[in-house]
Amino acid sequence: MAATHTESFNYPVSVDPYGVKQEITFLPTQMPKVDGFITGWSVNIVDATDGTPLPIQRLMLHHIVFQKLGVQNNACKNFTSFDSKTLLPAFAENPYGAGEERNVMVLPPGYGYPISKNDNWSMVWMLMNHRAVTDNALIHWEVTVDDNALLKPVIPLWFDVRNCNADPVYSVGGSGKPKVAEEKAELTMPESGRIVAAGGHVHGGAADLVLSQPACNNRTIHTSKPAWGMPDHPFYNVRPILHEPGPVSMSRYTSEQGFPVQKGQKIRLTSRYDNTRPHTRVMGIVPAYLAPGEVSSPCEPAPTDAQDAR
Ligand SMILES: [Cu+2]
């Protein structure tokens, strides 16, 4: 009998007063030991005693990326380390990541990210303490797994305008010309198939993230739009700030039919930021999921069931 269930995991963290902590954490036991598929994934920072999500006045999750180890990354030969010099072989793929916007993985019905009992996992994360006292909390993640062998497997696609870097940031000058600064990156599709889901991660000052298909009149696959809190939202009233506060959410793409792409085709990510003021250390990242399969032509019609979710 095929069954689906959700498993929860915790990793205790301690961050010094006003400290920033980054770490690569190996997860020998803190991922599902299942031969099957992951269909949903979320992460939060919670109180160690009662499990409630922590307000940003205590700890801010700048980012967290989960990695399946021992798999050649489909976009990067090497990763450039935090020192901007050292090259490490890219034997890892990124099936899921999130930041302040708490991006979630939600695959449409019928799809799953394949995992096995023997997979090796790690997470790369950065937390910041916004108070003058040492803080203790849990990184808490929930993973929905399904062992239904009939699910269609998806491949993670990591669109990042500074891809293959441990610290994939860039800066927007703020000259005002043009009013919106664009950074572009293209990812070559490793297989033909259909993009069935995509999320987004940006920092303060972002306009949006656009995925498009240059080979087909550069038609838009999806625009991931930030939602900002009100000026009195805690996101915008905490110190210290490592970079401008990010959005409280980003819109996601889901389509059961999926957006058709062909093997070898380049798919473009355009990261768009306000350029009327400087914005330092920004990011433009779209984690997406491709379900391999035949497509009838390079520019097959777009799906009719695409949804914008938050
Ligand atoms: Cu970021």
Side-chain angles (χ1 to χ4, degrees), residues 211-291:
L211 271 193
S212 63
Q213 195 172 29
C216 308
N217 288 324
N218 204 32
R219 62 180 172 171
T220 298
I221 297 170
H222 180 242
T223 303
S224 185
K225 296 195 187 87
W228 307 95
M230 298 301 281
D232 63 351
H233 191 282
F235 266 33
Y236 309 111
N237 293 282
V238 287
R239 292 290 180 274
I241 50 172
L242 185 67
H243 60 67
E244 272 179 273
V248 294
S249 75
M250 288 291 283
S251 63
R252 288 181 289 111
Y253 178 82
T254 60
S255 166
E256 211 172 315
Q257 295 169 15
F259 198 102
V261 297
Q262 213 171 34
K263 182 174 180 171
Q265 227 175 35
K266 287 184 173 11
I267 298 300
R268 181 179 295 166
L269 166 63
T270 306
S271 173
R272 298 175 2 105
Y273 274 79
D274 157 62
N275 191 29
T276 64
R277 287 185 304 126
H279 304 280
T280 54
R281 296 183 57 80
V282 302
M283 291 187 186
I285 299 175
V286 168
Y289 304 94
L290 170 68

Side-chain angles (χ1 to χ4, degrees), residues 32 35 51 58-59 76 99 126 204 231 301:
D35 292 322
R58 281 183 57 187
L59 289 178
C76 308
M126 180 159 109

Side-chain angles (χ1 to χ4, degrees), residues 2 37 109-112 146-153:
F37 298 90
Y111 297 95
D146 192 329
D147 65 2
N148 179 353
L150 298 176
L151 290 184
K152 293 184 194 130

Side-chain angles (χ1 to χ4, degrees), residues 62-63 99-101 168-169 201-203 243 281-283 285:
H62 272 272
H63 57 251
E100 297 149 53
E101 79 297 321
V169 296
H201 174 71
V202 296
H203 293 182
H243 60 67
R281 296 183 57 80
V282 302
M283 291 187 186
I285 299 175

Side-chain angles (χ1 to χ4, degrees), residues 136-157:
N136 299 298
L138 300 172
I139 301 177
H140 173 84
W141 59 104
E142 298 192 358
V143 185
T144 301
V145 292
D146 192 329
D147 65 2
N148 179 353
L150 298 176
L151 290 184
K152 293 184 194 130
V154 297
I155 298 172
L157 299 175

